[in-house]
Amino acid sequence: MTTVESPNAPKHFIAQIIDADIASGKWGAPGDQSVVRTRFPPEPNGYLHIGHAKSICLNYGLAELHGGKFFLRFDDTNPVKEEIEYVEAIKRDIKWLGADWDGASGAGLRWASNYFQQLYDWAVELIEKGLAYVCELSGEEVRATRGTPTVPGKASPYRDRPVAESLDLFARMKAGEFADGSKTLRAKIDMASPNFNMRDPVMYRVLHAHHHNTGDAWCVYPMYDWAHGLEDSIEGITHSLCTLEFEDHRPLYNWFIEAINKDRGPGSKWGKTIHHPQQIEFAKLRLTHIMLGKRRLVELVRDKHVRGWDDPRMSTISAFRRRGYTAEAIRSFCDAVGVTKFDSVIDFGRLEEALRDDLNKRAPRRMAVLKPVKLVIENWADGGDAERTEWMEAVNNPEDASAGTRKVPFTRELYIDADDFMVDAPKKFFRLAPGREVRLRYGYWVTCTGYETDEKSGEVTLIRCTYDPQTRGGESPPADAEGHVRKVKGTIHWVSAAHAARAEVRLFDRLWTVEEPDRKPKDAPADWHFTQTMNPDSLEVIADAMVEPALGEDARDAGAQWADGIARFQFERIGYFCVDPDTDASAGKLVFNRTATLKDTWAKVAGKG
Ligand code: ATP
Ligand code: MG
């Protein structure tokens, strides 16, 4: 994984800060790059989404680039919302992206909950130093006395209680003597600070909750701001990268560490000073037509608006994987969009382009007919036995000669796509129509001599053709007596009816009809709900597609050619597809997901072309 595309590419501002720190020896010997330590600190309360991928690529990429270390740290300080399913999914997704916390640049897996005792001891130290106190205001009272941006907050009546009293109460909070919400430990900072985060923020709350790691050992749980910077400190993180909404929290991040370091040093009864990481904020990744709000993603899954966290229409990393996206494409996209301090929404088309760039080079080509209609070659017996199968040579990937060729069966009866035939075709319709000739890719040239329709629906049910035996492999026929060579404008794909495998094909479209589905419109009616902007046509299931027989074997074997075991293809003229896990190749059940169309059709529809 790389964060810098080329040695000469301009480095983003965080890379520049790190370079300067390495040069000045801020974290170790000047010039020593390996001091760089980063982390990704997910809260296990949902699956990771594409925004998290940016943070993972950034953090891991910087550690790897400098030969430093990368931690995966589960921020499991909140016992209530966390689930093991999420932990496993998060690990799977990070590994898939290529950020290996156990590998050469990894420093292992950590749990914030393993630091509970250390955090508690430091809190006691702050009380002893007169920098924290036990407050008995309710949550509502704390909020009501916080003040406004222009009016200072009101000091808690418990603010100046004796240190011994706070120490005693805090110990009893921990021992479980008090009810949930009845007491908090607050930092004693500045009730008049223009920064709300500094108005005596809560460090601990009483919560009698079972924790997946620490069980019932704790009845007090640390707040995010208190815990996060100290976790960074314990792990020796050098650059603590977070998103812009934490900019206002940076003074508090620093205050907590400085408060612990106060009066520490040689000869101090508190001991040595602790490590002080540098918090740096960057803008979140946002994409058009993509929802990232975690609470809303939870709701989509819970209320079954989608088929699960990995429904290919979701914004989660698991969903992108199931849809056929490659980790390489997501990483190169994250590199390309860069790291800034400015909030912006990036066109989803850029992620799709990164995907097409990757799959165009790597995905083997196959033929699949999504809306099959039968085509019969009436003069097939002209070339020999009417029941014969001819095996045609097809190129696997024109972008990659090493991908070789394969044999595709050609027979008297084929399927072509209903969209490739028109009864009353306009001049510019370069596909098949009565009296017109077209090239069947890697097959023969055929001319339409007639067709049959369904009496009731009028739909075409059969197309009759003749073929030119001199066009084998799709080659041009020889010149006629006057030296003219016949030409065809169109080339279409096909499969042999006798050999084709039946497949289910799932076509996905954007899940949201609006560019910023997370944003509630200013003039939204009272009953507005975010699901109202869902695209009702985001999933089309084709039950009876016909695919070339090789795809039946591919569904079983071709995954081995991809690092993550997911087989991906380009269906000629249609788009990129992958094998869905609902596939059961040995039982003949094939399910393919459309990863992306060949071109950005959606931009065209929206008039953005
Ligand atoms: P919430 O706090 O609402 O549960 P979250 O998305 O912040 O959601 P975390 O698990 O706390 O979830 O996030 C882990 C890390 O990912 C954090 O460091 C956070 O800053 C980063 N992150 C979250 N969303 C994005 C995004 N859209 N772009 C880049 N980084 C992100
Ligand atoms: Mg968060």
Side-chain angles (χ1 to χ4, degrees):
M1 196 185 283
T2 53
T3 36
V4 182
E5 297 116 89
S6 84
N8 300 323
K11 291 191 169 187
H12 57 68
F13 78 99
I14 295 178
Q16 289 176 20
I17 291 173
I18 292 179
D19 281 354
D21 288 350
I22 290 168
S24 72
K26 178 172 176 179
W27 306 105
D32 182 1
Q33 301 203 27
S34 67
V35 292
V36 173
R37 278 195 188 195
T38 58
R39 86 287 175 264
F40 178 68
E43 197 181 333
N45 61 353
Y47 277 50
L48 297 179
H49 55 57
I50 188 74
H52 294 120
K54 173 166 178 173
S55 178
I56 295 163
C57 291
L58 175 64
N59 280 291
Y60 183 78
L62 287 167
E64 190 187 42
L65 180 71
H66 295 290
K69 292 286 176 210
F70 168 83
F71 291 86
L72 167 58
R73 180 205 312 148
F74 280 104
D75 181 10
D76 59 347
T77 50
N78 183 355
V80 186
K81 288 191 291 182
E82 291 147 9
E83 284 184 38
I84 289 304
E85 179 200 348
Y86 297 146
V87 168
E88 292 309 317
I90 289 170
K91 285 203 247 177
R92 195 161 56 232
D93 290 345
I94 296 175
K95 273 257 156 79
W96 177 74
L97 272 177
D100 184 2
W101 59 89
D102 286 325
S105 303
L109 177 64
R110 305 292 163 114
W111 301 88
S113 55
N114 283 348
Y115 309 142
F116 279 169
Q117 185 61 46
Q118 177 67 80
L119 298 183
Y120 178 83
D121 293 343
W122 278 331
V124 170
E125 181 176 333
L126 258 55
I127 299 174
E128 289 175 345
K129 288 176 176 171
L131 296 174
Y133 60 95
V134 169
C135 176
E136 296 177 45
L137 297 179
S138 67
E140 208 156 294
E141 287 165 326
V142 169
R143 264 189 301 281
T145 51
R146 203 187 287 145
T148 70
T150 48
V151 179
K154 229 174 100 204
S156 159
Y158 306 98
R159 196 172 201 261
D160 292 316
R161 77 187 333 161
V163 165
E165 209 174 287
S166 280
L167 284 174
D168 172 60
L169 287 170
F170 190 46
R172 289 164 60 198
M173 282 163 66
K174 174 177 184 269
E177 282 187 32
F178 305 116
D180 288 0
S182 61
K183 289 182 177 52
T184 56
L185 183 72
R186 293 176 70 180
K188 197 186 225 179
I189 309 182
D190 179 5
M191 288 306 289
S193 171
N195 183 341
F196 274 89
N197 297 305
M198 304 299 275
R199 294 185 182 179
D200 288 14
V202 172
M203 295 163 62
Y204 276 91
R205 59 196 168 134
V206 177
L207 189 62
H208 294 259
H210 186 84
H211 188 281
H212 75 96
N213 182 21
T214 57
D216 298 314
W218 293 90
C219 304
V220 285
Y221 286 95
M223 303 301 287
Y224 178 88
D225 281 325
W226 165 246
H228 195 81
L230 302 180
E231 294 157 12
D232 286 341
S233 174
I234 290 168
E235 291 169 2
I237 301 301
T238 52
H239 302 86
S240 173
L241 312 182
C242 61
T243 41
L244 283 181
E245 73 270 26
F246 290 102
E247 199 161 21
D248 285 349
H249 296 243
R250 187 174 358 117
L252 183 56
Y253 183 104
N254 291 330
W255 189 92
F256 280 135
I257 292 174
E258 282 157 15
I260 293 169
N261 281 339
K262 186 170 181 270
D263 301 330
R264 280 180 174 243
S268 161
K269 69 164 173 165
W270 308 110
K272 290 187 291 191
T273 57
I274 65 167
H275 173 74
H276 191 153
Q278 180 181 1
Q279 175 180 311
I280 305 170
E281 310 86 19
F282 64 96
K284 278 194 167 178
L285 172 67
R286 294 197 291 149
L287 283 165
T288 55
H289 302 282
I290 288 284
M291 170 162 297
L292 297 180
K294 219 187 248 170
R295 250 173 299 138
R296 288 177 174 178
L297 297 180
V298 169
E299 195 174 324
L300 288 177
V301 173
R302 186 196 63 205
D303 296 346
K304 303 203 165 29
H305 292 287
V306 290
R307 292 180 174 185
W309 281 100
D310 68 346
D311 184 312
R313 296 166 295 173
M314 288 280 276
S315 60
T316 59
I317 295 174
S318 297
F320 278 107
R321 176 175 56 237
R322 184 164 185 176
R323 187 161 171 166
Y325 272 70
T326 60
E328 288 83 351
I330 293 177
R331 292 201 306 251
S332 86
F333 166 76
C334 289
D335 275 351
V337 297
V339 182
T340 70
K341 279 252 182 206
F342 309 103
D343 257 322
S344 64
V345 185
I346 291 164
D347 195 302
F348 182 78
R350 285 188 66 183
L351 178 54
E352 273 195 331
E353 269 318 305
L355 176 84
R356 290 188 190 104
D357 279 351
D358 186 25
L359 291 186
N360 183 42
K361 286 186 227 113
R362 300 203 285 155
R365 275 50 169 175
R366 294 289 184 261
M367 291 199 280
V369 175
L370 300 194
K371 280 193 261 169
V373 57
K374 198 166 263 186
L375 181 151
V376 179
I377 299 172
E378 304 206 286
N379 63 337
W380 188 233
D382 292 358
D385 175 8
E387 298 304 317
R388 77 188 184 281
T389 299
E390 290 191 23
W391 291 88
M392 315 303 282
E393 180 126 335
V395 174
N396 280 332
N397 188 348
E399 303 287 322
D400 175 11
S402 73
T405 59
R406 69 187 183 285
K407 297 285 189 193
V408 187
F410 193 101
T411 50
R412 194 177 96 93
E413 293 194 359
L414 310 171
Y415 288 116
I416 66 165
D417 200 292
D419 289 344
D420 285 333
F421 179 78
M422 235 177 143
V423 174
D424 292 310
K427 239 186 154 158
K428 291 229 154 130
F429 184 78
F430 298 127
R431 288 168 265 173
L432 198 58
R436 295 198 197 168
E437 187 170 36
V438 78
R439 175 192 291 112
L440 297 177
R441 190 160 173 87
Y442 305 124
Y444 285 98
W445 293 20
V446 292
T447 303
C448 176
T449 52
Y451 61 93
E452 290 171 15
T453 53
D454 181 88
E455 261 177 45
K456 275 198 210 116
S457 68
E459 265 176 52
V460 175
T461 52
L462 187 92
I463 300 164
R464 300 185 189 285
C465 286
T466 56
Y467 86 115
D468 179 349
Q470 292 193 297
T471 55
R472 193 170 200 281
E475 299 295 328
S476 296
D480 65 15
E482 280 106 61
H484 287 133
V485 180
R486 219 163 75 241
K487 290 205 169 93
V488 282
K489 275 254 166 68
T491 300
I492 63 174
H493 61 280
W494 51 275
V495 293
S496 160
H499 297 81
R502 192 175 296 271
E504 176 178 324
V505 176
R506 299 175 183 165
L507 305 178
F508 306 105
D509 203 343
R510 304 245 198 304
L511 191 55
W512 306 96
T513 56
V514 292
E515 280 206 352
E516 295 184 66
D518 274 309
R519 186 176 297 246
K520 182 175 178 175
K522 274 200 198 80
D523 52 356
D527 63 351
W528 185 86
H529 191 262
F530 72 90
T531 51
Q532 288 164 3
T533 58
M534 285 186 89
N535 175 7
D537 303 317
S538 60
L539 171 64
E540 184 189 344
V541 178
I542 295 176
D544 294 312
M546 290 293 178
V547 303
E548 69 170 87
L551 277 166
E553 290 146 40
D554 290 332
R556 216 177 37 233
D557 312 327
Q561 289 155 32
W562 299 81
D564 55 10
I566 299 169
R568 302 165 172 91
F569 310 94
Q570 185 192 100
F571 288 178
E572 300 236 9
R573 300 177 61 232
I574 307 176
Y576 294 101
F577 289 77
C578 74
V579 175
D580 186 83
D582 286 344
T583 294
D584 183 352
S586 49
K589 183 182 179 194
L590 304 179
V591 182
F592 295 99
N593 293 329
R594 185 171 67 195
T595 314
T597 52
L598 289 179
K599 286 197 202 101
D600 188 355
T601 47
W602 215 86
K604 242 183 283 163
V605 173
K608 284 190 287 176

